[in-house]
Amino acid sequence: DGIRDRSPSRGLGDVYKRQLNHYEAGELEAAAKSLESSLVLDLGSEALKEGFELLEDVYGGLGVERGLEGYARIEGRRPAEQYTNQDVMTIYSKGKFLREAGYLDQALEIFEGLIRDNEQLPMVKYQFPIRASIGDVYRDKNRIQESTEEYDKALDLVNRHVSASEVSEELRIQIAETWMSLADNQVILGDHEGAKMLSLINISETT
């Protein structure tokens, strides 16, 4: 949802084979319950990311009330005495789900709360996509200047904390998407020359 493309069948492999089968058969409630049971476990970050992406799509079919109920169930079954990156991913996924459902104020509150309350979060792995998501919400709300500022903050995190050799393919795609969104914002603001420059920078940064 830097994490925007949520194709439910991308790279899910055997980890979520049963849940994916439920999803593809239109058995959304069964898929939701099975995913909720899996996502309270201590899984690797990639497996968690894929699981939450699928869950967001499943909840998209079941509706907001069922989705929020499910996220509450996952959060309630995690150890209360520990607050881990997995808990951050759960809350971030809830924010993405609410944004997709059009609950922009609630999504913004979640994303801004994650940044405000978790200064220790790994800069790029979590803070970059959360910042980019805040930019997305402001853009959805037609608050383009604020959206631009958030995209700038997200890209500044990468510039300050990641060397070119450390940029993974996934991060490269996320950076490119953010540059593109930033350029689109410049067009909306009437700065076509600035948009052109950003597009050229994006090409040079991602090739």
Side-chain angles (χ1 to χ4, degrees), residues 186-203:
Q186 294 306 311
V187 171
I188 295 170
L189 293 170
D191 184 2
H192 295 274
E193 194 61 35
K196 183 178 179 181
M197 289 297 297
L198 286 170
S199 296
L200 292 173
I201 293 172
N202 181 25
I203 292 170

Side-chain angles (χ1 to χ4, degrees), residues 113-133:
L114 281 172
I115 294 291
R116 181 184 62 249
D117 300 335
N118 297 278
E119 293 182 356
Q120 81 284 0
L121 282 176
M123 285 294 178
V124 174
K125 186 175 182 180
Y126 294 109
Q127 289 202 33
F128 171 76
I130 294 170
R131 281 284 181 199
S133 292

Side-chain angles (χ1 to χ4, degrees), residues 86-205:
Q86 184 162 342
D87 298 303
V88 171
M89 292 180 74
T90 304
I91 298 168
Y92 179 61
S93 175
K94 179 166 64 174
K96 290 196 296 168
F97 165 67
L98 285 169
R99 181 206 163 207
E100 288 294 324
Y103 288 73
L104 301 181
D105 290 336
Q106 292 90 331
L108 187 61
E109 183 179 352
I110 286 172
F111 295 145
E112 290 182 335
L114 281 172
I115 294 291
R116 181 184 62 249
D117 300 335
N118 297 278
E119 293 182 356
Q120 81 284 0
L121 282 176
M123 285 294 178
V124 174
K125 186 175 182 180
Y126 294 109
Q127 289 202 33
F128 171 76
I130 294 170
R131 281 284 181 199
S133 292
I134 293 173
D136 291 339
V137 174
Y138 277 130
R139 189 174 180 192
D140 292 343
K141 292 168 72 70
N142 203 32
R143 292 162 63 174
I144 304 303
Q145 189 59 52
E146 289 158 292
S147 171
T148 297
E149 291 170 2
E150 292 299 330
Y151 290 144
D152 280 336
K153 289 176 184 177
L155 292 167
D156 184 58
L157 284 172
V158 176
N159 291 334
R160 287 190 291 116
H161 296 283
V162 185
S163 66
S165 62
E166 295 174 316
V167 177
S168 65
E169 183 59 29
E170 180 183 10
L171 181 58
R172 193 180 306 278
I173 292 169
Q174 293 172 1
I175 292 169
E177 289 176 340
T178 305
W179 276 114
M180 289 169 59
S181 296
L182 197 55
D184 289 344
N185 279 2
Q186 294 306 311
V187 171
I188 295 170
L189 293 170
D191 184 2
H192 295 274
E193 194 61 35
K196 183 178 179 181
M197 289 297 297
L198 286 170
S199 296
L200 292 173
I201 293 172
N202 181 25
I203 292 170
S204 67
E205 291 280 347

Side-chain angles (χ1 to χ4, degrees), residues 15-142:
V15 178
Y16 299 107
K17 186 174 182 179
R18 184 175 69 257
Q19 293 91 332
L20 188 58
N21 287 340
H22 284 312
Y23 176 84
E24 292 176 340
E27 300 165 352
L28 298 185
E29 185 59 35
K33 288 181 177 178
S34 185
L35 282 164
E36 288 159 4
S37 296
S38 297
L39 289 168
V40 299
L41 305 175
D42 292 324
L43 302 172
S45 59
E46 189 59 33
L48 284 170
K49 179 177 179 292
E50 292 171 350
F52 279 121
E53 286 176 347
L54 178 56
L55 187 67
E56 290 157 32
D57 284 296
V58 170
Y59 286 161
L62 291 172
V64 171
E65 184 177 349
R66 176 63 181 87
L68 292 178
E69 177 187 302
Y71 281 115
R73 186 175 296 132
I74 294 170
E75 292 177 70
R77 292 170 64 184
R78 293 286 300 160
E81 66 277 5
Q82 290 181 293
Y83 189 74
T84 67
N85 290 342
Q86 184 162 342
D87 298 303
V88 171
M89 292 180 74
T90 304
I91 298 168
Y92 179 61
S93 175
K94 179 166 64 174
K96 290 196 296 168
F97 165 67
L98 285 169
R99 181 206 163 207
E100 288 294 324
Y103 288 73
L104 301 181
D105 290 336
Q106 292 90 331
L108 187 61
E109 183 179 352
I110 286 172
F111 295 145
E112 290 182 335
L114 281 172
I115 294 291
R116 181 184 62 249
D117 300 335
N118 297 278
E119 293 182 356
Q120 81 284 0
L121 282 176
M123 285 294 178
V124 174
K125 186 175 182 180
Y126 294 109
Q127 289 202 33
F128 171 76
I130 294 170
R131 281 284 181 199
S133 292
I134 293 173
D136 291 339
V137 174
Y138 277 130
R139 189 174 180 192
D140 292 343
K141 292 168 72 70
N142 203 32

